[in-house]
Amino acid sequence: MRISVALVIITAAHCTDSLTTGVDVYLGTHDRTNASEKGQQIVFVETKNVIVHENWIADTITNDISLIKLPVPIEFNEFIQPASLPEKSNSYETYTGESAIASGWGKISDSATAVTDILQYIDVPIMSNSGCSPWYLGLVAETNICIKTTGGTSTCNGDSGGPLVLKDGKNTLIGATSFGIAFGCEVGWPGVFTRITSYLDWIEEKSGLANYGN
Ligand SMILES: *[C@@H]1O[C@H](CO)[C@@H](O)[C@H](O)[C@H]1NC(C)=O
């Protein structure tokens, strides 16, 4: 069975708030510089199909979320698979202590001068907001979720908007990479993400997509 679906990408507002004509979405990509890579698909999306959160505030990095609606149907295959939204509920778990996968083509060290070509993955523990907040002097809100980066393994510049997914067999999307500390990604500061469960109503309102379970 081949199923084509209209896909919506969840990313960060700060990645999409100053687009000119639009943005290229890379699907099924491992090496983003290899145009002949098997399974790779690049879809250009016009700015009119990008929805930046209307209350995005750059100064405080508040509501750092946006949606990119793909204008063409996408067929899932061994290279392209969707993540799941968390199930809608009256209350959400914090995910503290669980481990999750963050991924991206961001810088692979603080000495790197550019982002990387090969998609990178890290397996990291979620930390509590109360543990994360003191590191960032008021910037971490209830609508954020943080990872521990002790050991120097973190998200970095260029990873923004990328997914934080649970290892639950459904790749439940719980975060979108938002920010870190300016003086380095290897220094142990928590990595901060937009907390997806805080925006499930907004995502449903803008895209019609929601997970009501089975
Ligand atoms: C690019 O992708 C193709 C197809 O997957 C592969 O055969 C080739 O070795 C890749 N090229 C590089 C430079 O990695």
Side-chain angles (χ1 to χ4, degrees):
M1 188 168 58
R2 294 156 80 89
I3 304 177
S4 298
V5 292
L7 266 193
V8 174
I9 311 291
I10 297 175
T11 185
H14 80 265
C15 300
T16 48
D17 64 356
S18 42
L19 298 175
T20 50
T21 56
V23 60
D24 280 325
V25 174
Y26 283 61
L27 299 152
T29 302
H30 173 68
D31 179 348
R32 64 187 179 84
T33 65
N34 185 355
S36 57
E37 191 171 71
K38 192 162 177 278
Q40 189 183 119
Q41 228 177 306
I42 302 173
V43 179
F44 178 75
V45 182
E46 289 178 78
T47 304
K48 68 172 188 202
N49 289 321
V50 178
I51 302 165
V52 177
H53 198 288
E54 48 279 28
N55 298 124
W56 156 235
I57 306 168
D59 284 349
T60 51
I61 326 176
T62 304
N63 300 314
D64 191 9
I65 188 168
S66 68
L67 302 177
I68 301 172
K69 292 184 173 181
L70 296 194
V72 290
I74 298 299
E75 205 167 90
F76 294 134
N77 56 35
E78 65 173 302
F79 303 104
I80 304 174
Q81 285 291 315
S84 304
L85 285 170
E87 252 183 68
K88 286 199 86 167
S89 169
N90 291 325
S91 65
Y92 296 100
E93 55 178 313
T94 62
Y95 305 109
T96 302
E98 293 189 46
S99 67
I101 307 282
S103 54
W105 286 280
K107 280 168 60 179
I108 57 171
S109 76
D110 286 333
S111 53
T113 53
V115 296
T116 187
D117 296 341
I118 308 294
L119 187 60
Q120 307 287 312
Y121 301 86
I122 53 171
D123 187 337
V124 281
I126 310 297
M127 75 189 291
S128 65
N129 277 38
S130 57
C132 181
S133 183
W135 295 78
Y136 286 104
L137 302 169
L139 282 183
V140 174
E142 272 177 28
T143 51
N144 290 119
I145 183 169
C146 301
I147 59 166
K148 274 187 192 163
T149 67
T150 38
T153 306
S154 182
T155 43
C156 202
N157 309 68
D159 289 319
S160 285
L164 181 68
V165 296
L166 287 182
K167 299 189 292 178
D168 58 357
K170 297 177 288 190
N171 293 327
T172 300
L173 183 73
I174 59 170
T177 304
S178 183
F179 65 91
I181 194 75
F183 52 77
C185 308
E186 296 181 83
V187 292
W189 246 252
V192 187
F193 296 71
T194 301
R195 182 180 287 272
I196 301 302
T197 52
S198 302
Y199 293 94
L200 295 178
D201 291 342
W202 182 81
I203 292 166
E204 185 172 19
E205 182 195 325
K206 301 296 176 186
S207 69
L209 296 176
N211 178 0
Y212 284 101
N214 296 310

